[in-house]
Amino acid sequence: MNQLKQAAAKAILTKIGMLADANGTANANALSTDDIAGMFEYPPDPKMGDLAFPCFKLAKTLRQAPPKIAAALADGLSVDGISDIQVVGGYLNLFVDQSGMAKNTLDAILAQKEAYGGSEEGKGKTVVLDYSSPNVAKPFHIGHLGTTVIGHSLKKLHAFCGYTCVGINHLGDWGTQFGKMIVAYKKWGDRETVERGECDALVELYVKFHEEAEKDPSLNDEARAVFTEMEHGNPEYMELWKWIKEISLREYEKTYRQLGITFDSYAGESFYTDKMPAVVEELKEKNLLKIDDGASIIDLSDYNMPPCLILKRDGSTLYPARDISAALYRKNTYHFDKCIYVTSAGQSLHFAQWFKVLELMGYDWAKDQLVHVPYGTVSIDGGKLSTRSGNVVLLRDLFNQAIEKVSAIMDEKNPNLPDKEKIAESVGVGAIIFYYLSSGRIRDINFVMEDALSFEGNTGPYAQYTYARASSIVSKAEAAGIVGIDAPIDLSGVAVSEEENALIKTLALFPDKVKQALHEYEPSVITRYILDVCADFNRFYHDVQILSCEDACTRLFRVNLTLAVKYVLGNAFELICIQKNEKI
Ligand code: ARG
């Protein structure tokens, strides 16, 4: 579809130029092919064509009414691959030559395979992605699902479009909470219990600290003092801190393994401890630091924001200071063209504040190269989540539940499936990711397990089932010795049905969808697209005979169409971190 859009845009642009010359509105000549290509819309109803070009925006530059422009542009317009052009009001409706599109699309998919849908837009550019980044000593709960899967999906999308990507887990491994943890451990903990209980044992200690501190607030002072000593390198505390971090990471890594996620760097907040003094010095030199009640802050009232907090009264550093230091370090280390931060919308102000501070420090790149990608809250069956009380829904419990239920369904559907456990794990975890990534990221989500796991609804298991169905048809065709699978298509003599054309048209949209998901930082575009492909493919599968079709040319076309579906679904699954299974 992209190529067609470009071709149509080029032809329309030439027409616009002629029109502008004719009526003396030369400023219309400033438009580029990309401007025009970006104006196309997809009509909601196929009767209105496959692509529509609205002329409303041109009315001002060309000083003519949109319907008049549309008529003038359509007059004598011809585009390769477009079989008909109709003028309706201020629109040009373009009808794609179906058989040309069918051949081009299928040939492109079968030739590009795993690369189909991607692009080279990011060639030579580097993107740093900061995501997941849990706070050490706390378990991985459902609130982290968003940053982890949206972040990783954005990494996949960027890599698919040619960017060099650096995924960073900016672990929350520094701050007063470690003072609390160490005080609690020394008072009430022991090594063996923590080794055995991992994050759960750490959380218990953390919860106990808060309960006790309610009764005896001096515990908070003790914790602060311990953290200040950590910042000065106290060896006993640093040893404990390292151990606590290891225990937490052990647990996080289990979750990452299930999700198929790896990071290029685990440089968390603590990594910046020794880089902080230089940043504080620079802020002072640039006259940005102000002392307020003993603390060091940056006044942002000119920008309608509360002050950005850099140092506490006791001189220990704060979260924004570590982010400023990390951004400078990353710029110098990776020379990024963009650095993306994926966190809950609750941190939007934090990012707006310190992005502004970098700008005030004179780093112009902060304006357009630092991007915060926020997402909404998650609740389970209506209940909000919190960490403080220890009353959280753990990701590992959620995954285990999903895996168990999927196993039970699979036992019924396909009891003799080889490798059943592994498949149940990927379908169960995939169901949760799919459900989560089905809504726009900024929306608040209420998680309903039954809805996520159903094999019938618009779910991950349904999508994976469809993929397995396509895989099985292709393997059967191969086993039957059909010649010409996965090779350029010959459509002469094949009567392509309406369902088939609809499916091909949807497959042709994939590169556009990838681009949209990338530019909007919105993996849900891909999730919803997967559902479109599945719906079209299942309609095709139910309506026509594939392997038992008698006409050899038609049979080969249908097998190749099925293979194309398999490639596109597989590529789309990759982008949203869903594993592919040939059999379910
Ligand atoms: N650790 C933080 C949290 O769990 C998220 C860190 C996000 N990244 C960053 N560079 N601030 O809330």
Side-chain angles (χ1 to χ4, degrees):
M1 212 48 118
N2 249 343
Q3 269 171 339
L4 265 182
K5 265 197 208 171
Q6 286 293 331
K10 228 171 150 183
I12 289 177
L13 191 62
T14 314
K15 279 284 199 175
I16 292 175
M18 284 157 65
L19 210 61
D21 289 343
N23 66 10
T25 47
N27 54 349
N29 288 326
L31 288 166
S32 72
T33 320
D34 280 342
D35 293 334
I36 301 289
M39 285 158 74
F40 281 108
E41 294 171 7
Y42 292 110
D45 178 352
K47 286 197 202 85
M48 289 148 74
D50 302 293
L51 276 179
F53 183 74
C55 299
F56 307 95
K57 280 197 194 144
L58 296 174
K60 218 167 155 194
T61 19
L62 290 172
R63 286 197 234 116
Q64 259 180 4
K68 258 196 136 163
I69 298 175
L73 293 181
D75 186 26
L77 184 67
S78 119
V79 182
D80 249 5
I82 300 288
S83 57
D84 189 17
I85 297 172
Q86 294 176 3
V87 177
V88 178
Y91 282 97
L92 287 186
N93 289 342
L94 313 189
F95 292 79
V96 170
D97 166 31
Q98 302 283 6
S99 69
M101 183 178 73
K103 178 157 174 58
N104 288 342
T105 305
L106 293 180
D107 282 350
I109 299 172
L110 300 186
Q112 295 168 32
K113 307 183 197 306
E114 280 75 24
Y116 175 73
S119 69
E120 301 220 318
E121 124 168 23
K123 209 168 163 197
K125 292 196 181 131
T126 298
V127 171
V128 169
L129 297 108
D130 173 320
Y131 63 99
S132 199
S133 314
N135 291 329
V136 171
K138 293 188 188 163
F140 219 94
H141 63 79
I142 192 175
H144 294 117
L145 184 63
T147 166
T148 307
V149 298
I150 295 171
H152 200 63
S153 172
L154 293 180
K155 184 179 176 200
K156 294 265 181 117
L157 277 161
H158 278 88
F160 200 43
C161 294
Y163 290 88
T164 301
C165 296
V166 185
I168 300 182
N169 196 330
H170 187 75
L171 289 174
D173 60 359
W174 207 239
T176 334
Q177 74 268 30
F178 287 94
K180 293 178 184 172
M181 215 46 244
I182 287 172
V183 169
Y185 174 74
K186 290 189 65 137
K187 283 196 193 303
W188 310 294
D190 69 90
R191 205 165 180 101
E192 214 180 291
T193 317
V194 174
E195 283 282 353
R196 206 171 345 102
E198 299 192 334
C199 273
D200 292 348
L202 293 173
V203 171
E204 251 171 59
L205 285 172
Y206 197 70
V207 171
K208 178 146 175 101
F209 180 91
H210 280 278
E211 282 166 6
E212 296 292 327
E214 293 256 304
K215 294 179 242 160
D216 175 8
S218 75
L219 280 174
N220 285 318
D221 300 329
E222 229 176 286
R224 261 194 293 274
V226 168
F227 179 60
T228 308
E229 285 202 42
M230 281 171 66
E231 291 219 292
H232 291 112
N234 175 311
E236 182 203 352
Y237 295 155
M238 289 310 284
E239 200 49 51
L240 276 174
W241 166 80
K242 237 168 102 186
W243 171 66
I244 291 171
K245 192 168 150 177
E246 268 166 28
I247 300 237
S248 310
L249 275 178
R250 235 183 272 163
E251 176 159 336
Y252 300 159
E253 264 156 18
K254 281 184 221 156
T255 307
Y256 293 138
R257 214 175 305 127
Q258 281 183 310
L259 287 166
I261 289 182
T262 52
F263 292 92
D264 303 298
S265 159
Y266 273 92
E269 294 188 37
S270 66
F271 179 77
Y272 300 97
T273 319
D274 62 352
K275 299 167 185 62
M276 218 79 79
V279 173
V280 174
E281 210 36 56
E282 189 179 335
L283 286 167
K284 269 191 205 148
E285 266 168 31
K286 292 183 172 163
N287 262 332
L288 290 165
L289 270 196
K290 252 186 160 172
I291 306 296
D292 183 63
D293 197 16
S296 303
I297 63 159
I298 296 162
D299 180 19
L300 295 174
S301 54
D302 281 352
Y303 309 96
N304 281 328
M305 287 189 277
C308 183
L309 311 178
I310 302 294
L311 297 175
K312 283 193 196 169
R313 237 191 304 184
D314 61 10
S316 54
T317 58
L318 285 155
Y319 185 45
R322 298 193 277 272
D323 260 329
I324 293 170
S325 176
L328 292 171
Y329 173 84
R330 290 171 188 174
K331 186 71 186 170
N332 292 330
T333 309
Y334 305 111
H335 309 287
F336 60 72
D337 296 278
K338 216 177 341 175
C339 184
I340 295 171
Y341 299 83
V342 186
T343 76
S344 74
Q347 295 196 33
S348 296
L349 177 62
H350 160 75
F351 284 97
Q353 285 175 304
W354 73 260
F355 286 3
K356 181 52 89 183
V357 170
L358 274 177
E359 220 185 294
L360 294 175
M361 289 169 86
Y363 297 109
D364 278 346
W365 46 264
K367 257 185 263 180
D368 49 359
Q369 295 188 352
L370 298 178
V371 182
H372 178 226
V373 175
Y375 61 88
T377 60
V378 187
S379 53
I380 295 221
D381 291 330
K384 282 262 160 75
L385 302 162
S386 85
T387 3
R388 273 290 151 80
S389 61
N391 169 28
V392 291
V393 179
L394 303 185
L395 216 48
R396 102 178 152 224
D397 294 343
L398 194 69
F399 284 177
N400 286 342
Q401 250 189 57
I403 295 166
E404 243 169 63
K405 292 199 173 155
V406 165
S407 275
I409 300 174
M410 280 172 33
D411 275 340
E412 264 176 49
K413 275 187 178 281
N414 197 352
N416 301 320
L417 187 68
D419 238 353
K420 209 178 67 189
E421 261 167 47
K422 226 180 113 220
I423 295 175
E425 181 176 34
S426 89
V427 176
V429 172
I432 290 179
I433 302 177
F434 196 94
Y435 184 83
Y436 181 76
L437 291 180
S438 298
S439 338
R441 65 177 152 77
I442 211 68
R443 291 210 7 218
D444 292 340
I445 293 176
N446 182 32
F447 207 96
V448 183
M449 190 62 127
E450 244 86 289
D451 292 354
L453 294 184
S454 151
F455 273 60
E456 266 88 50
N458 283 333
T459 61
Y462 157 74
Q464 290 199 323
Y465 201 72
T466 308
Y467 179 84
R469 172 175 281 166
S471 301
S472 133
I473 295 169
V474 175
S475 344
K476 279 186 193 150
E478 279 164 350
I482 294 181
V483 180
I485 303 176
D486 213 0
I489 299 232
D490 180 6
L491 278 176
S492 50
V494 176
V496 182
S497 71
E498 212 173 288
E499 283 81 19
E500 287 161 343
N501 270 324
L503 173 58
I504 295 169
K505 201 166 129 187
T506 303
L507 296 180
L509 285 180
F510 188 44
D512 263 20
K513 297 285 179 183
V514 170
K515 209 170 170 184
Q516 187 192 347
L518 181 84
H519 292 172
E520 295 175 4
Y521 304 107
E522 191 59 276
S524 66
V525 170
I526 302 297
T527 318
R528 285 199 287 256
Y529 172 72
I530 289 174
L531 292 173
D532 290 345
V533 176
C534 289
D536 285 350
F537 174 70
N538 285 317
R539 205 168 302 129
F540 154 76
Y541 172 82
H542 287 295
D543 283 0
V544 306
Q545 293 182 319
I546 303 176
L547 294 172
S548 51
C549 171
E550 285 187 359
D551 176 66
C553 287
T554 307
R555 185 174 54 223
L556 180 60
F557 156 68
R558 289 179 182 162
V559 169
N560 273 324
L561 177 53
T562 305
L563 177 59
V565 167
K566 183 181 166 182
Y567 281 130
V568 172
L569 281 182
N571 294 357
F573 283 6
E574 272 292 315
L575 293 176
I576 58 164
C577 323
I578 303 266
Q579 284 170 32
K580 300 176 276 192
N581 291 297
E582 304 270 316
K583 288 199 174 99
I584 288 189

